[in-house]
Each structure stands twice: as C-alpha cells, then as structure tokens.
Amino acid sequence: MGSASKQSNKPGAKGVADRRTRIAELRAAEERRDRRNKVIASVVAGVLVIGAIATGTWIVMDQNQKKKDREAAANADIPGVKTFGDLSRNHVKEKVNYPMTPPVGGDHNAIWLDCMGHVYDQPVENERAVHSLEHGAVWVTYNGKATPEDIKTLSDKVKTTPYSLMSPYPDEQGTITLNAWSTQLVVDSASDPRVNQFFTKYVQGKQTQEPGASCTMGQM
C-alpha cells in the first residue's frame, strides 16, 4: 500500500494575516483602555484636589465667620444688663456687705470657688464667688421660683462651659440671675435667649479683671 500523503500544519498566509490583525486590534483596544483609565484617574485626582482645596477654604472661611460672630456677640448690647462701674478688689477675711444681690464685685476672699463648669446644689459663700467673677467666670444663681426645667437647662449649660458656676440663691429677687464682674442680668426663664448671649459675651469677657487666672483649686 502506498503511504498517505502528509498534510501541512502550517497556516496559510491569510490565517497569519488574520491573526496579526486580531493581535493588533487587541493591542489597540488595550492601549485605548489604558489611556481611558489614565484620563479617568487624572480627572478623579483633579476632583479630589479641587475638593480638598474647597474643603480647606470652607473650613477657613467658617472659622473666620465664627470668629467674627463671637467678636460681634462680645460687642453687642444685651437688653436688661446692669453694670456697676469700678469695684474694689481687696482680699479680706471677714464677711462683706455687698450693695447688690447677688454680689458682682468688690472686696472678696483670697480663695475663689471652683468654677470650671461647677454646679453647686447648696448656696455658696459670696466672697469666694466674687473672686471667681474676678477671674472671668459667669455665676448663675436662682431662687425657688425657678422650675426644674430651668435648673436642668442651666445646669447643662454650666457643666459644658469652663469659667462658669451655678448655685441656688434663695434671697435674690429675680428668678434667675446671671452674674459677671460688675455686670448682672435678671431673667424669668432659662429659655430666654439673653442667657446664651450673656455667656457668649461675659465668660472670660472684657470685664475680666484677671484674664486667664485659674478657676480650679478653689474651695467651697
């Protein structure tokens, strides 16, 4: 028997050309995909940079606005606030007969009350509280006409406000009295918007006689 003729496994010229064309198309598609990904990455990076710049700008602007708001509040008049002019600041050991109730300045004890957001449930010594006012604290007092809601609202406010303190003051005429050095405001309710205004203006405010002085390590 004669042997079968051998068939060639080599591709024809057309097959080689088709394969090369397919490879070229795949490479072109891959290059287009790479270029597209680079463009997307560049756009995303640009957006992130712009976003970061915008965020930083907004933060700076927001801080500047808040600073301006604080400065405006510190200079704004608060209806009903009484001031008492220059008051003496001598340290004394004896009790002082103050001309206003509660007192907002004058001679006082050499040791102040702790006033870093302290809420006292009993009346405190006038002479020590006045010393705290000298350090820039706001002293919140109230009598029996204050409601439990008033007391809670004021307590929450004081507890989150360094350089403030609060105590009952049964003998005061007003329901709630806000006291700073040589400055006083009487309100009927803790919801009165002047309460927050008073804190903003007078906690370590311009009336402070000893700015930055300690409000800790005092005594009851």
Side-chain angles (χ1 to χ4, degrees):
M1 294 180 60
S3 61
S5 62
K6 295 182 179 179
Q7 295 182 355
S8 173
N9 292 326
K10 293 181 180 181
K14 185 176 185 305
V16 172
D18 290 344
R19 188 160 57 250
R20 288 177 178 175
T21 299
R22 179 59 179 161
I23 291 172
E25 290 174 348
L26 292 174
R27 287 177 177 173
E30 185 176 359
E31 289 174 357
R32 288 194 297 270
R33 186 165 55 250
D34 288 343
R35 286 195 298 271
R36 185 170 60 251
N37 289 341
K38 288 179 181 179
V39 170
I40 293 173
S42 297
V43 171
V44 171
V47 170
L48 291 176
V49 170
I50 293 172
I53 293 173
T55 300
T57 301
W58 180 86
I59 290 173
V60 171
M61 293 177 62
D62 184 58
Q63 290 175 341
N64 289 338
Q65 186 59 50
K66 287 180 179 178
K67 182 180 179 180
K68 290 179 180 179
D69 292 343
R70 288 194 298 269
E71 291 174 351
N75 294 319
D77 291 331
I78 302 175
V81 167
K82 295 181 179 180
T83 57
F84 298 87
D86 293 332
L87 300 172
S88 61
R89 297 171 52 202
N90 300 310
H91 288 176
V92 297
K93 294 182 179 180
E94 65 273 11
K95 292 293 182 180
V96 179
N97 183 22
Y98 292 104
M100 73 291 288
T101 303
V104 293
D107 294 349
H108 50 269
N109 195 283
I111 301 175
W112 57 91
L113 285 173
D114 282 344
C115 45
M116 291 297 283
H118 285 71
V119 175
Y120 298 92
D121 58 6
Q122 298 295 326
V124 298
E125 290 185 50
N126 285 334
E127 293 76 16
R128 298 191 192 279
V130 169
H131 195 156
S132 296
L133 300 185
E134 184 182 44
H135 289 191
V138 163
W139 177 25
V140 180
T141 57
Y142 61 94
N143 62 22
K145 292 183 288 186
T147 67
E149 291 76 15
D150 286 331
I151 296 172
K152 183 180 186 308
T153 297
L154 294 168
S155 297
D156 291 344
K157 177 71 174 176
V158 168
K159 288 176 181 178
T160 58
T161 307
Y163 284 91
S164 72
L165 67 156
M166 176 175 168
S167 68
Y169 207 104
D171 297 335
E172 70 179 31
Q173 292 185 348
T175 303
I176 297 164
T177 308
L178 306 175
N179 308 281
W181 183 268
S182 191
T183 308
Q184 194 169 73
L185 174 65
V186 177
V187 298
D188 295 327
S189 169
S191 62
D192 191 312
R194 292 176 297 169
V195 172
N196 286 335
Q197 293 171 7
F198 194 94
F199 271 77
T200 299
K201 184 168 184 175
Y202 293 109
V203 170
Q204 284 284 284
K206 294 180 180 180
Q207 85 292 340
T208 302
Q209 301 299 298
E210 298 180 1
S214 176
C215 241
T216 59
M217 303 300 290
Q219 292 183 8
M220 174 63 175

